[in-house]
Amino acid sequence: MAGILVAVFWAILVSFLAVVLVRLAQTLRATTALVADVTEQAVPLLADASATLRSAQTQLDKVDAIASDVQEVTSNASALSTTVASTFGGPLVKVAAFGYGVRQALGRRTAAEPEPDRRTSRRTVIVGRTVPSARDKKRNGRSSRGQKD
C-alpha cells in the first residue's frame, strides 16, 4: 500500500511540474516575440534620433557663428560710439554751454523789473507747519502762537 501511495504522489507531482513547464514555455515564447518586436521598432527610432542629433548639431554650429558675429558687431558699435562721443561730444557741450550763457545774458538784459528778493518770502518749517519769519512778527505785532507781544 505504501508503494501505491508513493506512486500516486509522484504522478501528481510530475503532472503539476508538467503544467508549470508548459506555462513557462508559453511565457518564454511571448517574451521572445515581444523582444523581437521591440528590436524591430527600436532600430529605426535610434536611426531617426541619430539624424535628429546631427541636425541639431548643425543648427547649433550656425547659432554659434551668428552669436560670434553679433559679438563682433557689438564691439564695433561700442568702438564707433566711443569715437563719435569723443569727436563730437566735447564741442557739442561747449556749443550748448555757450548758447545757454547767451540766453541767460539776453534774458537778464531784457528783463524790465528786478528779481524779487527771496529773503522776504523765506519761511521756517517746524514739524509740518510754517512759522512766520522774524520780520513778519514785527510787522503784524504777533508772536508765532498768534498772540500779541
Side-chain angles (χ1 to χ4, degrees):
M1 181 88 150
I4 293 178
L5 208 66
V6 170
V8 170
F9 173 73
W10 279 108
I12 292 173
L13 181 63
V14 169
S15 300
F16 177 73
L17 287 176
V19 170
V20 169
L21 286 175
V22 168
R23 295 232 175 136
L24 182 61
Q26 289 174 351
T27 304
L28 285 175
R29 276 190 224 112
T31 304
T32 304
L34 180 66
V35 168
D37 289 343
V38 167
T39 303
E40 287 176 13
Q41 293 176 3
V43 171
L45 282 176
L46 289 175
D48 289 345
S50 177
T52 303
L53 284 175
R54 279 191 220 107
S55 174
Q57 182 63 37
T58 304
Q59 295 300 322
L60 284 175
D61 290 341
K62 290 178 182 178
V63 168
D64 188 37
I66 291 170
S68 64
D69 290 344
V70 167
Q71 184 178 6
E72 185 179 339
V73 167
T74 302
S75 64
N76 289 342
S78 175
L80 180 64
S81 168
T82 303
T83 303
V84 168
S86 65
T87 303
F88 298 113
L92 285 177
V93 169
K94 290 177 184 176
V95 167
F98 179 75
Y100 178 75
V102 168
R103 278 196 311 264
Q104 292 296 321
L106 291 177
R108 287 185 183 156
R109 198 173 223 189
T110 58
E113 56 187 59
E115 290 185 25
D117 188 16
R118 294 184 184 201
R119 288 180 287 171
T120 59
S121 63
R122 183 176 283 173
R123 302 274 187 230
T124 305
V125 177
I126 300 175
V127 191
R129 64 180 195 178
T130 305
V131 178
S133 65
R135 290 185 183 178
D136 291 341
K137 290 180 188 176
K138 290 180 183 176
R139 287 183 197 158
N140 295 335
R142 296 183 179 264
S143 67
S144 63
R145 294 184 183 171
Q147 301 170 349
K148 289 267 187 186
D149 289 331

